[in-house]
């Protein structure tokens, strides 16, 4: 199945090793690099939590960056829509950009709906033996509809937006995420704390005092 | 023409502003972020110089990263070949990844043949009003053929590789690059020095002592 995602078309492609390795960066920066993947319904709180975590980490000197659905679609994935094929390509490119950024020494925090199990399984396989954390930002559709800061649920319900996750396209819940954050019960602050604590436990922030 | 490259297909896309801005990163890291684009024939020395510059910058504490033709084609652009359309999409994605990395506070050094003027003009427009430096790594085709570390020129001359720049596909020389590095005359060390000096002059490395 992976060939669907990553088929190398160019001839004579070899991975070029630089003079500065990822290990060099991890040592110099005092923390591991890796990918923290947030998944959940639109308006569940993924982006808010990811940006909150980024702010705390940045202030502590951690090199990090949020890749966000809207931002990535604004540039890199501007040519992609919401068909199944385009959603898959969207995920594939995000994963590859994440790999480059992780190689550059960053903790990458991604906030994408990523509703399909097979896509998330692909991400895990691509990050096999690498620093990877999956976080399920849990929130009921009813609550997400009530929040709906961009009015997209309303538009989806009126059929103006097609294939909208939670309304006209399914969200498949993760079975074994590393963390579940229920944003109907927890405050933003406490979800951020939970993520940071987990990063620390995993040993990503060895020389960083929180 | 830009619509060829960047047409936003998704509905309701807005740029999400994070809590940590690029300006915050530039201040905290003590240097500007920006894109240094190396262009030149295959085997002209782009990658060697870019990695050399990266090594010096990294050792000085500058957050930087080399995006390299082969590396990017290994993952992100693995689905692209060497047709005109694929080459354009290759460049477009590299530019967008660079924008994300520059937003993340890095100095990005790219080493891609990028043989077509219109593609390089596109890059400049996309980085308009932003930190951008174009470096032409100049070397005669004859010398590049003599170097040919991967044997690709030989394969291209025997028709095994199609559309190979310098042999079966044209290289359009830049008219107004910021720097020209003639690798037939200069040592690697002196080309690296020249790039660093230019970055300093441009004010990218304000708080970094070289």
């Amino acid at each position: 199945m992976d060939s669907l995602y990553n088929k190398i078309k160019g001839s004579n492609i070899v991975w070029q090793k630089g003079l500065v390795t990822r290990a060099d960066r991890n040592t110099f920066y005092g923390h591991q690099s890796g990918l923290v993947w947030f998944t959940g319904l639109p308006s569940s709180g993924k982006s808010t939590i990811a940006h909150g975590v980024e702010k705390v980490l940045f202030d502590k000197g951690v090199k990090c960056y949020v890749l966000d659905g809207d931002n990535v679609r604004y540039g890199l994935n501007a040519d992609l829509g919401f068909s199944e094929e385009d959603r898959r390509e969207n995920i594939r490119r995000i994963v590859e950009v994440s790999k480059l950024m992780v190689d550059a020494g960053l903790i990458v925090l991604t906030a994408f709906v990523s509703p399909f199990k097979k896509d998330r399984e692909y991400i895990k396989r691509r990050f096999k033996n690498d620093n990877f954390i999956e976080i399920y930002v849990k929130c009921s559709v009813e609550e997400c509809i009530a929040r709906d800061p961009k009015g997209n649920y309303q538009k989806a319900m009126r059929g103006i937006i097609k294939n909208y996750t939670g309304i006209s396209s399914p969200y498949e819940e993760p079975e074994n995420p590393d963390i579940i954050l229920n944003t109907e019960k927890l405050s933003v602050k406490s979800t951020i704390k939970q993520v940071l604590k987990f990063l620390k436990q995993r040993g990503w922030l060895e020389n960083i005092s929180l």
Side-chain angles (χ1 to χ4, degrees), chain A:
Chain A
M1 190 177 90
D2 282 7
S3 60
L4 269 174
Y5 293 87
N6 256 327
K7 201 171 174 192
I8 297 173
K9 221 175 174 184
S11 48
N12 309 298
I13 303 300
V14 267
W15 181 268
Q16 285 271 7
K17 231 192 156 103
L19 302 171
V20 185
T21 66
R22 174 174 163 191
D24 293 334
R25 297 177 207 267
N26 290 173
T27 304
F28 195 79
Y29 298 159
H31 61 84
Q32 294 285 304
S33 55
L35 175 58
V36 184
W37 190 279
F38 292 86
T39 173
L41 286 168
S43 306
S44 57
K46 301 175 298 297
S47 206
T48 305
I49 300 169
H51 282 287
V53 172
E54 180 193 36
K55 173 72 177 142
V56 178
L57 289 176
F58 177 77
D59 289 343
K60 297 284 181 184
V62 173
K63 309 324 170 236
C64 55
Y65 192 69
V66 172
L67 287 175
D68 188 283
D70 291 345
N71 303 359
V72 167
R73 280 194 178 271
Y74 185 84
L76 180 66
N77 294 354
D79 57 326
L80 302 175
F82 292 90
S83 70
E84 204 187 317
E85 198 188 341
D86 280 7
R87 280 176 187 262
R88 189 173 59 214
E89 175 63 8
N90 184 48
I91 297 283
R92 190 194 69 82
R93 290 189 202 163
I94 292 158
V95 171
E96 296 307 324
V97 171
S98 300
K99 277 197 99 68
L100 291 168
M101 288 187 162
V102 167
D103 192 47
L106 308 183
I107 291 181
V108 179
L109 307 143
T110 59
F112 300 98
V113 176
S114 42
F116 301 118
K117 259 180 212 167
K118 64 173 184 183
D119 287 335
R120 295 192 307 262
E121 277 161 16
Y122 164 72
I123 303 162
K124 266 179 229 171
R125 279 199 309 281
R126 194 79 182 97
F127 265 79
K128 204 183 159 188
N129 303 322
D130 202 343
N131 282 341
F132 176 80
I133 292 168
E134 186 185 37
I135 300 179
Y136 174 30
V137 181
K138 192 175 176 158
C139 186
S140 67
V141 181
E142 295 70 30
E143 172 62 19
C144 290
I145 291 171
R147 294 177 184 173
D148 202 18
K150 298 175 201 160
N152 286 346
Y153 277 103
Q154 287 303 324
K155 284 181 194 159
M157 287 190 287
R158 277 153 48 208
I160 300 167
I161 304 178
K162 310 280 180 204
N163 294 320
Y164 200 73
T165 306
I167 302 297
S168 40
S169 187
Y171 180 81
E172 300 168 2
E173 288 202 322
E175 279 162 6
N176 283 303
D178 295 293
I179 313 176
I180 299 174
L181 300 172
N182 188 326
T183 59
E184 281 181 273
K185 293 181 182 163
L186 299 166
S187 68
V188 174
K189 207 175 162 181
S190 72
T191 60
I192 293 170
K193 264 194 180 167
Q194 214 171 310
V195 175
L196 293 168
K197 199 177 151 191
F198 192 81
L199 291 176
K200 191 82 184 166
Q201 280 171 355
R202 276 279 176 101
W204 289 25
L205 306 175
E206 211 176 348
N207 297 319
I208 308 291
S209 53
L210 291 177

